[in-house]
Amino acid sequence: MASYISDDLRSGAMIYHRLPRPGKLEIQPTKPLANQRDLALAYTPGVAAVCEAIAADPALAAELTAKQNLVAVVSNGTAVLGLGNIGPVASKPVMEGKAVLFKKFAGIDVFDIEINALEVDHVVTVVAALEPTFGGINLEDIKAPECFEIERQLRDRMNIPVFHDDQHGTAIIVAAAIVNALHIGAKKIEDVKIVTSGAGAAAIATLNLLESMGARRENIFVTDIEGVVYEGREKLMDPYKGVFAQKTELRTLAEVIAGADIFIGLSAGGVLKPEMLKAMADRPLIMALANPTPEIMPELAREARPDAMICTGRSDFPNQVNNVLCFPFIFRGALDAGATTINEEMKIAAVNAIAELARDTPSDVVARAYGGETPIFGANSLIPSPFDPRLILRVAPAVAKAAMDSGVAKRPIADFEAYQEQLDRFVFRSGLVMKPIFTLAKQAPKRVIYAEGEDERILRAVQVVIEEGIARPILIGRPSVIDTRLQRFGLSIRPGVDFDLIDPEDDPRYRDYVQTYVERAGRRGVTPELARTLVRTTPTVIAAVAVMRGDADTMICGVEGRFIRHLRHIRTIIGLAPGVRDVAALSMLLTAKGAFFLCDTQVTLDPAAEDLAEMAQLAAAHVRRFGIEPKVALLSHSDFGSRDDESATKMRRALELIQEKAPDLMVDGEMEGDSALIPEMRERVLPGSRLQGVANILVMPNLDAANIGYQMVKVFGDALPVGPILLGPARPAHILTPSVTARGVVNMTAIAVVEAQEH
């Protein structure tokens, strides 16, 4: 097994895959099945009409079934990650993971198919027989050299895209990095000397792609465990690496690397020595892509060659070569154009789109989402981040266009502007909304104090927070209890090393905290005696006092106890931000249709128009932190004047107040829920509304509506809740609810850190 996996990560992975249900995938229907007519349409007898239509014209399957958005991820388990030949069943978690990436990054549905087939002919026969079901085939973790022949035969036999990601995904990202490195170094691909360590599937595919882009075969030198691939060599040779055999007397990597402009490592850790780098050409590109240990660690490479550009396969160093940068978006473009294959033109289009994106100045949305700190193109930013939301917007259209230009598109895209808009809408439905917040949090981690530090969810969340580097945690809890629970849960974090600890029963700051509490709450019924008791027994009080004293930058509480009780302490100790009437709770729901923010879900029973106007503006400020343009709908049972009761007129008054104080905010109301969420219905009721598109901030007329709506969408819509986000306190503070998960605590930690950065 992979010895580099820590015990806590191993334990967490087992829990992640086991609970709340085994695996990472499920199948969901896309059509209603609520009555007899639905059944007649979905199945017999109505489905016969669809079958007859497809029998007459098989191309209609793309319009009438899920085929054109369905990819098979196929493996026989012979070369799984760094685990080797572990077999098809053991490869299934990896294939499920690949399926999740397809869905998350590009909205593509996947069946993972693990096959008990080893011989080339057997694999080809099994996979080729799947063509009627799928729009594309993604081969995965099949060992070389068999993978080359398997892919070649499948491409010849099948009329849908076949893509071996281990080969071509890596090749495309490597090629994009090379394009930009040559741009920086003012070199031409036809002139540079390229040396590889490793001659497996990824290495050979990379060299083939580079050759098709202009690299000269006489400038390419391949090495493997037996040394240089040279003419006449017999040991460990195959036809695929034999293509690159050179007529040379050089026999080792150390000998052949002299004068090289580019090193591509797809082999094993530590094979590239610092002294070898000194013989390379000026401004070399070093791609040490072995995982988890690169062929040379970046710091050693930098020390030996300060002028080098360095890429690895690891996320903890700049320039990570990660296949997720391309494979979801290549398939997205290929499927949308109805491509019959993924050819060299489409691969090169992907290379150029990725390379160009790294060189582009970030858009306003992206710059805002990444806090204005998006890496600037250069030696440490040769390729984009895998989470850059622009990837799908650039790569998919480029691939689709290349498919059309090269004549392999069965359904050419007629309107690329409309296609871009379709992809743009997907970006904010993808569930990646939290990524900009995490990126911002990592740039300047803050001290987050957790009131319920003994809770299992908090402890598991803190493990992730530390691994992600988004905060310096402070836990309130008894040391003996926390130590026992860390051991019980198999967590590796330790007090005083990874996080700080406040022991409510014995902390040297006790008297100071009591004094601060009396100063803040003495005129609100808190006597010194009561203060001494509460500072010993009430973690929320301790956390709030810590924030006010500057011992913490933000606080999180509420995983135990009632929301209103925690709120009372925060109002008393932390108070309200200048000019704010009262706090409010903003709850976020990540749904299949996008991210939606509901307020006020926890605090004010019947807010006045002034309260609603304030909530909307405070909520808009939070939403902008996600890189999302706020679109506010003031909801009601009345639709633009259809009713004139007190509730409806309150929402109209709120609109007037918002327009006075925030004239640039996109907002409208009062309106019914469907008018807020379905632009076409809103246009029929009120053509020319100031609100454009789907509203993402839903301001409810009272607490009943907000809380009930939030809870129902969370359950029926199978939405991921984030929050509540507390709006309006003088210092950043947030109150969660007892139903929160460890993942929810992590998400709120990132939000709290970003708010503290701005504060």
Side-chain angles (χ1 to χ4, degrees):
M1 286 296 288
S3 59
Y4 57 86
I5 299 178
S6 63
D7 289 342
D8 59 278
L9 188 59
R10 188 183 301 277
S11 171
M14 297 297 287
I15 292 171
Y16 178 89
H17 283 77
R18 180 175 287 123
L19 301 174
R21 56 186 295 179
K24 299 188 285 281
L25 299 171
E26 67 177 359
I27 296 174
Q28 290 277 5
T30 60
K31 299 295 194 298
L33 196 64
N35 52 48
Q36 186 63 38
R37 179 167 177 79
D38 288 345
L39 182 61
L41 294 171
Y43 199 52
T44 183
V47 74
V50 182
C51 295
E52 289 171 345
I54 294 173
D57 181 5
L60 287 176
E63 300 175 22
L64 299 173
T65 74
K67 173 182 170 70
Q68 204 53 43
N69 196 51
L70 187 62
V71 166
V73 172
V74 182
S75 180
N76 62 3
T78 53
V80 180
L81 297 176
L83 304 175
N85 186 356
I86 61 174
V89 175
S91 77
K92 188 172 180 65
V94 179
M95 303 313 127
E96 285 188 358
K98 197 66 177 268
V100 171
L101 295 178
F102 266 108
K103 187 67 174 180
K104 213 67 168 169
F105 284 91
I108 295 171
D109 296 314
V110 166
F111 289 154
D112 63 290
I113 298 179
E114 295 75 32
I115 59 175
N116 190 12
L118 298 177
E119 298 80 13
V120 169
D121 290 345
H122 191 184
V123 174
V124 170
T125 299
V126 170
V127 177
L130 301 174
E131 183 169 350
T133 300
F134 295 98
I137 303 290
N138 184 95
L139 301 174
E140 193 77 18
D141 291 350
I142 300 173
K143 73 182 182 73
E146 290 90 338
C147 62
F148 298 115
E149 186 62 20
I150 288 169
E151 186 192 33
R152 186 192 67 76
Q153 290 192 31
L154 287 173
R155 285 166 60 93
D156 289 344
R157 288 180 58 172
M158 302 183 79
N159 203 35
I160 58 175
V162 177
F163 188 81
H164 186 203
D165 185 44
D166 300 325
Q167 294 182 51
H168 308 299
T170 301
I172 287 165
I173 309 306
V174 168
I178 287 174
V179 167
N180 281 341
L182 296 179
H183 179 84
I184 291 173
K187 300 178 182 180
K188 295 181 179 179
I189 194 168
E190 58 267 27
D191 299 331
V192 295
K193 179 180 178 181
I194 301 170
V195 174
T196 76
S197 174
I204 298 303
T206 298
L207 296 177
N208 287 333
L209 180 59
L210 291 174
E211 191 175 18
S212 70
M213 294 173 63
R216 294 178 178 171
R217 190 172 295 181
E218 59 266 28
N219 293 339
I220 297 172
F221 293 81
V222 177
T223 71
D224 60 13
I225 196 170
E226 291 296 323
V228 175
V229 175
Y230 60 88
E231 287 187 4
R233 193 182 109 172
E234 296 181 357
K235 192 171 183 180
L236 281 182
M237 289 296 291
D238 60 61
Y240 306 99
K241 72 172 76 169
V243 168
F244 295 98
Q246 290 284 16
K247 190 173 184 179
T248 178
E249 298 299 319
L250 304 176
R251 292 295 181 263
T252 67
L253 174 61
E255 293 172 344
V256 82
I257 203 169
D261 299 277
I262 298 168
F263 169 80
I264 303 173
L266 289 158
S267 55
V271 301
L272 184 63
K273 308 302 180 184
E275 57 270 20
M276 297 181 189
L277 303 187
K278 296 177 181 178
M280 293 183 73
D282 291 339
R283 302 215 73 180
L285 173 62
I286 301 164
M287 308 194 77
L289 306 181
N291 253 326
T293 306
E295 284 79 2
I296 186 169
M297 293 300 291
E299 58 269 23
L300 291 177
R302 182 76 62 209
E303 183 179 343
R305 288 301 299 263
D307 63 332
M309 293 168 275
I310 304 166
C311 299
T312 72
R314 289 173 41 156
S315 61
D316 52 346
F317 294 109
N319 293 323
Q320 182 195 15
V321 173
N322 189 329
N323 290 10
V324 80
L325 276 161
C326 71
F327 73 80
F329 317 121
I330 288 174
F331 268 98
R332 181 73 279 159
L335 295 174
D336 291 340
T340 57
T341 187
I342 295 176
N343 56 28
E344 289 301 293
E345 292 89 343
M346 295 160 73
K347 296 175 198 170
I348 293 172
V351 169
N352 291 329
I354 293 166
E356 289 168 7
L357 177 57
R359 295 196 297 268
D360 277 4
T361 301
S363 68
D364 291 343
V365 171
V366 173
R368 186 168 66 242
Y370 286 85
E373 298 292 335
T374 308
I376 298 173
F377 174 65
N380 288 322
S381 184
L382 296 173
I383 42 183
S385 160
F387 292 98
D388 192 319
R390 299 170 295 172
L391 277 165
I392 191 171
L393 305 178
R394 302 294 185 83
V395 179
V399 169
K401 190 173 189 307
M404 293 160 57
D405 293 344
S406 60
V408 299
K410 291 186 296 184
R411 292 189 316 282
I413 294 170
D415 187 343
F416 266 88
E417 185 174 336
Y419 182 51
Q420 286 281 162
E421 291 178 2
Q422 175 187 330
L423 295 175
D424 192 56
R425 287 196 299 272
F426 168 76
V427 168
F428 292 106
R429 294 200 311 265
S430 64
L432 298 175
V433 175
M434 285 300 301
K435 184 59 186 176
I437 298 295
F438 278 87
T439 302
L440 281 170
K442 288 180 182 181
Q443 292 172 8
K446 297 295 182 181
R447 299 165 300 168
V448 180
I449 187 166
Y450 300 86
E452 296 92 358
E454 298 174 0
D455 189 278
E456 177 182 355
R457 292 163 295 176
I458 296 294
L459 293 173
R460 292 195 181 280
V462 166
Q463 176 83 43
V464 177
V465 165
I466 292 165
E467 290 174 354
E468 292 282 338
I470 60 176
R472 173 67 184 186
I474 305 168
L475 271 59
I476 299 174
R478 295 162 292 177
S480 61
V481 174
I482 288 176
D483 284 341
T484 299
R485 292 182 179 180
L486 289 175
Q487 293 179 28
R488 182 192 306 162
F489 305 142
L491 302 175
S492 64
I493 54 176
R494 293 293 175 262
V497 178
D498 303 300
F499 62 89
D500 298 318
L501 187 62
I502 293 180
D503 179 1
E505 297 178 348
D506 183 21
D507 191 277
R509 295 165 289 188
Y510 171 70
R511 293 182 184 276
D512 294 334
Y513 275 40
V514 170
Q515 182 61 33
T516 300
Y517 188 25
V518 171
E519 291 171 359
R520 298 292 302 175
R523 292 183 180 273
R524 298 185 185 181
V526 177
T527 65
E529 182 178 354
L530 178 59
R532 284 191 290 269
T533 300
L534 291 177
V535 172
R536 284 279 191 220
T537 61
T538 309
T540 300
V541 169
I542 300 171
V545 171
V547 171
M548 289 309 299
R549 288 178 55 82
D551 294 338
D553 300 301
T554 181
M555 66 172 283
I556 289 177
C557 62
V559 300
E560 298 171 4
R562 295 183 179 276
F563 188 98
I564 199 69
R565 178 171 61 83
H566 295 284
L567 180 59
R568 188 181 305 119
H569 294 309
I570 288 173
R571 273 190 178 130
T572 300
I573 299 168
I574 292 179
L576 301 176
V580 171
R581 291 167 57 90
D582 196 4
V583 295
L586 176 68
S587 293
M588 178 180 176
L589 288 169
L590 299 178
T591 76
K593 295 183 178 297
F596 297 94
F597 300 81
L598 283 67
C599 60
D600 169 23
T601 56
Q602 298 287 343
V603 181
T604 308
L605 286 172
D606 188 14
E610 290 77 8
D611 297 316
L612 295 169
E614 182 176 88
M615 287 177 202
Q617 293 169 76
L618 292 172
H622 260 287
V623 169
R624 290 189 182 99
R625 294 188 178 112
F626 292 85
I628 299 173
E629 181 184 8
K631 299 180 179 181
V632 183
L634 303 173
L635 297 188
S636 174
H637 63 285
S638 173
D639 213 19
F640 299 109
S642 63
R643 302 282 288 271
D644 285 317
D645 53 67
E646 183 178 348
S647 177
T649 56
K650 177 175 71 172
M651 302 310 283
R652 285 176 219 157
R653 173 62 179 154
L655 175 64
E656 295 172 0
L657 292 170
I658 295 170
Q659 290 174 335
E660 289 173 10
K661 296 180 179 179
D664 296 331
L665 182 61
M666 190 186 300
V667 57
D668 211 340
E670 84 286 11
M671 68 178 75
E672 294 180 357
D674 52 2
S675 293
L677 301 175
I678 305 173
E680 295 80 8
M681 294 195 67
R682 182 169 64 249
E683 185 66 19
R684 286 202 296 268
V685 177
L686 184 72
S689 168
R690 286 192 52 177
L691 180 61
Q692 299 297 308
V694 177
N696 49 38
I697 300 177
L698 307 176
V699 181
M700 306 291 189
N702 57 49
L703 183 58
D704 284 342
N707 192 271
I708 293 169
Y710 167 71
Q711 300 294 350
M712 291 181 69
V713 173
K714 184 173 68 172
V715 174
F716 296 147
D718 196 23
L720 173 66
V722 180
I725 301 168
L726 197 61
L727 306 175
R731 303 282 180 90
H734 297 285
I735 308 168
L736 305 182
T737 61
S739 63
V740 72
T741 63
R743 179 183 179 188
V745 175
V746 173
N747 285 337
M748 273 309 304
T749 299
I751 291 170
V753 168
V754 172
E755 185 182 11
Q757 290 170 349
E758 295 185 7
H759 184 84

